[in-house]
Amino acid sequence: MFLSKEEEADLKGDRGESRRIAMNVLTRLGDGFEADRLVPIESAHIVESSYQIACDAGIEILERLVSLGARCSVPTTCDPAAIDLLDWKDLRIPEEYARKQLKLAELVTKLNIAPTFTCTPYHNINVPKFGDHLAWSESNAVVYVNSIFGARTNRYPAYVDLFASIVGKIPRFGLHVEENRKATVLVKLDLTSVGDVDYPVLGTYLGLEMKERIPVIHNFPRNVSGDEFKAMGAAGAAAGALAMCHIEGLTPEARTLDEALQGDKPEETVTIDRSTLDSVRDNMCTLSGGDVDIVALGCPHASIFQMGRILDLFKGRRVKRGVECWICTNRLTKSLADDLGYSQRLRAAGVRIVCDTCCNDAPIKDWEFKAMATDSGKFARYAPINAGVDVIYGSTEECIESAVRGRFE
Ligand code: F3S
């Protein structure tokens, strides 16, 4: 990979040890992926803010970088922590685990990373523009910013995101390169209606079937909301390697099918109808119905509009005794919910608002939940492994009904 004189100097350590370490990793990555050069990035979003991901080694790495005076040089946000940083005791987090996560959170801020602790920074905090190069690692966010904003990032692993943020550059390969963003599979939707429950199912299909190929979707609903698209992208990224999908007429690089396909013919064309979605949805569940003891909402982190909708769906009813209903979100959204009176009303309905973390990142095995209802394709994918529960996937409305009845019909 070509390096400028300044970059060569960084690699030799002329501009400090932390830049040397970061540049060393980036050049090896670039050489491995046959990148031609480094490109400047506009922002980064890191995942090693979670103790579940970072572990003790992550604390050691960040301590070393802080002691070397490392600082992020571009706007950088961070993913959820592995605990609710303020109310971790309520989540039954072991004290030693919480202590380590709190230490990690402190180190994150010392590196000049905005302590956002959210997987949806693209909604209101870290909002890219068309064509921006980024170094982001949260997989749902990667799908969102590539597909909706036309920004450019690969799905980076932990520490590549941080080292890119320190240097302010990333090797130019993969989705940073125009030709590699070409759609090669044409996905035609043959559906008379698409409801909120369908988006994560469609995402799961794309994740499982596309592997690393990029689809362009024809006949996609024009009225899709940002919240629906984020649910779809999250499910796709959790089920497979999805990092972007073109939506004809919505993705900035896909004003037409021809533009998304970059003038070529698709290598494959597939049609998705209701029977395709029904069979994918069946496979997203480990139970078809029955008693539930946890209803998990807010994956990716709930927006203020989703919180308002959830409140409406309760229609003045309460969560059944013995059932937990959690909405995972970030502190900015929670403070809006406080101001709107949503938090107080949700709490009165028996809902727990979980901030800074989520049911997947926090260690919740001690709760000994057995059956989870969720409206998230990503939770449905990960919860059996991470939380040791059976899962029923359904719409937000079906999940609220199951919270009230204690049973998913
Ligand atoms: Fe976010 Fe946790 Fe889901 S990090 S995308 S709420 S698994």
Side-chain angles (χ1 to χ4, degrees):
M1 182 172 68
F2 167 80
L3 294 182
S4 67
K5 283 209 169 64
E6 199 182 62
E7 290 157 359
E8 291 277 10
D10 275 342
L11 191 58
K12 278 197 238 134
D14 292 357
R15 298 208 292 169
E17 178 64 3
S18 62
R19 282 183 84 93
R20 187 197 67 75
I21 294 169
M23 189 57 101
N24 186 25
V25 170
L26 295 179
T27 49
R28 284 172 186 229
L29 179 79
D31 288 339
F33 282 93
E34 299 181 352
D36 55 352
R37 59 190 161 88
L38 291 160
V39 286
I41 54 168
E42 302 300 323
S43 74
H45 179 79
I46 68 140
V47 290
E48 50 273 40
S49 43
S50 167
Y51 181 70
Q52 186 209 47
I53 290 171
C55 308
D56 289 351
I59 295 180
E60 243 179 79
I61 293 170
L62 295 203
E63 273 176 337
R64 170 112 197 271
L65 288 169
V66 167
S67 75
L68 293 170
R71 284 183 64 83
C72 293
S73 65
V74 295
T76 302
T77 44
C78 67
D79 229 34
I83 64 172
D84 184 321
L85 294 163
L86 299 179
D87 286 330
W88 56 269
K89 284 191 178 141
D90 268 7
L91 279 192
R92 304 186 191 168
I93 305 285
E95 196 144 346
E96 178 64 2
Y97 191 97
R99 191 185 62 71
K100 289 178 172 176
Q101 174 62 74
L102 291 169
K103 175 74 189 163
L104 196 59
E106 184 192 323
L107 290 164
V108 160
T109 55
K110 285 187 175 162
L111 288 165
N112 197 29
I113 295 166
T116 50
F117 298 106
T118 186
C119 49
T120 58
Y122 48 80
H123 271 334
N124 48 6
I125 311 166
N126 193 349
V127 185
K129 305 184 300 300
F130 176 50
D132 281 356
H133 290 284
L134 316 173
W136 285 34
S137 44
E138 162 57 47
S139 62
N140 96 78
V142 166
V143 178
Y144 199 99
V145 297
N146 275 314
S147 312
I148 298 295
F149 296 119
R152 299 182 172 202
T153 179
N154 293 307
R155 277 175 65 157
Y156 287 109
Y159 305 107
V160 167
D161 47 11
L162 177 58
F163 292 140
S165 171
I166 290 171
V167 173
K169 293 178 184 176
I170 194 78
R172 199 181 84 99
F173 72 96
L175 292 178
H176 294 283
V177 180
E178 178 92 25
E179 305 83 88
N180 298 339
R181 299 172 69 83
K182 177 170 89 170
T184 55
V185 182
L186 172 58
V187 176
K188 293 184 173 173
L189 295 193
D190 180 13
L191 299 162
T192 44
S193 66
V194 182
D196 66 345
V197 72
D198 294 320
Y199 289 100
V201 181
L202 180 55
T204 301
Y205 170 88
L206 295 175
L208 293 173
E209 298 300 322
M210 294 300 120
K211 311 285 187 247
E212 292 183 346
R213 298 175 301 168
I214 298 177
V216 53
I217 307 181
H218 171 68
N219 212 15
F220 195 83
R222 297 308 307 244
N223 61 350
V224 63
S225 69
D227 288 324
E228 287 165 336
F229 189 85
K230 83 179 175 191
M232 177 177 126
L242 195 71
M244 97 168 274
C245 61
H246 291 285
I247 309 293
E248 182 194 8
L250 181 65
T251 301
E253 293 146 281
R255 286 170 297 179
T256 61
L257 284 181
D258 195 51
E259 189 174 46
L261 293 158
Q262 296 187 6
D264 283 343
K265 295 257 173 290
E267 289 167 11
E268 189 187 347
T269 299
V270 292
T271 300
I272 295 181
D273 58 16
R274 184 52 58 188
S275 68
T276 321
L277 292 188
D278 286 347
S279 99
V280 174
R281 181 174 168 173
D282 283 350
N283 284 326
M284 290 165 69
C285 304
T286 61
L287 293 174
S288 55
D291 292 346
V292 298
D293 48 10
I294 167 90
V295 176
L297 310 168
C299 170
H301 272 176
S303 70
I304 189 63
F305 309 113
Q306 288 176 300
M307 291 184 76
R309 175 158 184 256
I310 290 166
L311 186 55
D312 287 347
L313 288 170
F314 268 100
K315 299 179 192 147
R317 298 169 299 169
R318 278 189 54 83
V319 175
K320 187 174 179 186
R321 189 181 290 276
V323 176
E324 287 283 321
C325 178
W326 295 9
I327 305 178
C328 308
T329 191
N330 57 60
R331 267 189 246 171
L332 284 179
T333 304
K334 165 76 167 38
S335 92
L336 291 175
D338 291 348
D339 291 348
L340 283 164
Y342 292 176
S343 305
Q344 191 245 335
R345 289 166 61 202
L346 283 165
R347 271 197 300 272
V351 175
R352 191 184 291 272
I353 300 173
V354 174
C355 266
D356 307 319
T357 187
C358 72
C359 302
N360 180 49
D361 273 19
I364 62 167
K365 279 199 171 149
D366 284 359
W367 287 78
E368 297 183 353
F369 294 127
K370 297 206 166 29
M372 173 187 281
T374 183
D375 61 353
S376 161
K378 185 166 177 177
F379 271 167
R381 190 97 192 151
Y382 288 154
I385 307 156
N386 288 350
V389 291
D390 275 308
V391 163
I392 308 166
Y393 169 76
S395 68
T396 309
E397 190 169 357
E398 287 168 326
C399 287
I400 303 301
E401 291 305 313
S402 63
V404 170
R405 295 180 192 170
R407 191 172 169 77
F408 193 104
E409 300 293 350

